[in-house]
Each structure stands twice: as C-alpha cells, then as structure tokens.
Amino acid sequence: MAISGYFAGAAMIAALSFAPATNAKVVDQSDAGFAVAHTAQVAATPADVWKMLRMPQSWWSKDHSWSGDAANFWLDQQAGGCFCEKLPDTGSGVGSVQHARILFSKPNQMLRLSGAFGPLQGEALTGTLTIQIKETPTGSALRFDYVVGGYMRFKVADIAPAVDKVIGEQLLGLANALGGALPPTRDEKAAGEGTEKPKAETPPAKEEPGLGAAVADLVGEEPKAAPDERP
C-alpha cells in the first residue's frame, strides 16, 4: 500500500473532521524518529471505552486497512495478543496482517501496542501506541501517544505530520463509536488559540474539569531541580 493512499489522503480527512473535538500535536521529532499525541474526552465510562477497544472493527478506519474492510480486524487484549486483520481468500487462500502486538493491558486504564502501521511496516522501525483512559466527571479522558523510531526511507519532516493525522483519525473513530467526542471547554479553546483568558471581576461559575485537567497527569513532566538548601 502506497504511502499516499494510507497516510496522505486520510490526513486531509482527519484535519477537517476531528480538529474541533480533539487536541493533537507532533510533540517531538528528530532524525531518529518522532512522537505524536492526541487527546479527547467522551461521555462514556472507562469500562465502556475498554470494551470498545476490544472491537477495532467498530472504530479503526477501513481506510487504514489492507483489505479495505474494517470487519476483518480483530484484537486480543491480553499481553502478547494480536491486533490483526484477515485478508480474504482471492483464490490463493486466506491471508493475515499483524498491525501490532499487545505489550501492556490494564483494564479500564491503559492499553499499549507495538507496531509500525501501514507503510511504516516495511521499514526498520519500532512504533509504540499507548492508549490511556482516565475517568472524569463527565465520562472519560482519552490519550493516544504514538512513538516511532529506527531507520526509514521516508523523511521524518514529511511522514510525522501524516502519521499524526492518521492516529488522530483513529482516536476520532473511537470517540464516535462511544457516542462522539465532547467539545473542548472554554479554557481549551483559549489555549488552542493562544489567547489569554479574560480577567473576571467576580469569581467565575464553577465548571467541570476540562480535558486538560483530566489528562494532565497521564504523561509526567521531567522533575524540576530542587532549590539549593542553605545550612
């Protein structure tokens, strides 16, 4: 499958469809690889999210399949299990594709897979997709982190944004399968636009914690050096 068919076309679709309801970013890139991150929140319990993750045929896009039919996906959620796809018999027998292998499975909290998706599979790459779930007052906060490293014949500057869009499309598919992604809060919109929040003379009305607060502790920051202690 050509890179233009698997990544580039989907990138345009994802850019138009998921942007208002999710947050995305190429968080790092170098000659050695890149990392992308996507977040969203849904009005579904962590248990419902976990159940849906077991059914990639219901949320992983058929446009990112080798058979062209999402019904051919399956996923075994235990460590060592396969996120795989059946290739129907076209006269030479039934085939199959391994998209990724399960590395870590903690029900209702985290699923980690190892796999280089699409055309990246043909390169000497390691790809790690970590899916995190956190309960919120309105449902669940979701985070997809995909880290890719190794040798590839693509230019990182070209492939990283395309992969970013594709991973975002899968998160959107998962959110839609769970009833749709919740819209970003006022604070999230302000952060996305790079604007400062207006100062209020009176205390603002209490709001439910937004996505930023819900997923802030999912990925820890590097610890800051403690100040020198004086004797």
Side-chain angles (χ1 to χ4, degrees), residues 10-37:
M12 292 187 291
I13 297 173
L16 293 174
S17 59
F18 84 85
T22 69
N23 294 321
K25 187 178 183 182
V26 177
V27 295
D28 189 31
Q29 71 178 53
S30 70
D31 291 341
F34 60 91
V36 303

Side-chain angles (χ1 to χ4, degrees), residues 187-208:
D187 289 351
E188 290 163 3
K189 288 180 179 179
E193 294 171 358
T195 59
E196 296 183 358
K197 293 183 294 182
K199 296 181 179 180
E201 295 182 359
T202 58
K206 184 178 180 181
E207 296 181 346
E208 295 289 353

Side-chain angles (χ1 to χ4, degrees), residues 101-136:
R101 181 68 62 180
I102 309 301
L103 297 177
F104 189 102
S105 178
K106 190 171 186 180
N108 305 342
Q109 295 185 44
M110 188 170 77
L111 185 68
R112 177 171 290 138
L113 308 91
S114 176
F117 298 122
L120 300 183
Q121 189 182 77
E123 307 301 307
L125 294 171
T126 297
T128 304
L129 175 63
T130 300
I131 301 173
Q132 298 180 79
I133 309 165
K134 185 175 179 64
E135 187 174 11
T136 69

Side-chain angles (χ1 to χ4, degrees), residues 42-110:
V42 294
T45 66
D48 287 338
V49 174
W50 188 255
K51 182 178 180 181
M52 184 60 67
L53 284 175
R54 297 181 58 185
M55 302 182 289
Q57 67 273 22
S58 298
W59 58 273
W60 194 275
S61 173
K62 66 180 179 62
D63 293 332
H64 307 303
S65 70
W66 297 94
S67 65
D69 188 349
N72 291 316
F73 291 130
W74 82 87
L75 188 149
D76 178 356
Q77 238 171 9
Q78 295 303 311
C82 188
F83 169 26
C84 292
E85 178 183 355
K86 179 179 70 175
L87 299 180
D89 187 355
T90 57
S92 302
V94 176
S96 60
V97 179
Q98 175 181 292
H99 289 272
R101 181 68 62 180
I102 309 301
L103 297 177
F104 189 102
S105 178
K106 190 171 186 180
N108 305 342
Q109 295 185 44
M110 188 170 77

Side-chain angles (χ1 to χ4, degrees), residues 23-30 33-39 128-130 132 143-148 156-157 159-165 167 215 218-222:
N23 294 321
K25 187 178 183 182
V26 177
V27 295
D28 189 31
Q29 71 178 53
S30 70
F34 60 91
V36 303
H38 289 255
T39 56
T128 304
L129 175 63
T130 300
Q132 298 180 79
R143 181 173 179 121
F144 279 25
D145 283 273
Y146 191 46
V147 182
V148 178
V156 172
I159 197 67
V163 173
D164 177 56
K165 300 299 184 184
I167 295 301
V215 300
L218 291 181
V219 176
E221 297 180 354
E222 294 183 1

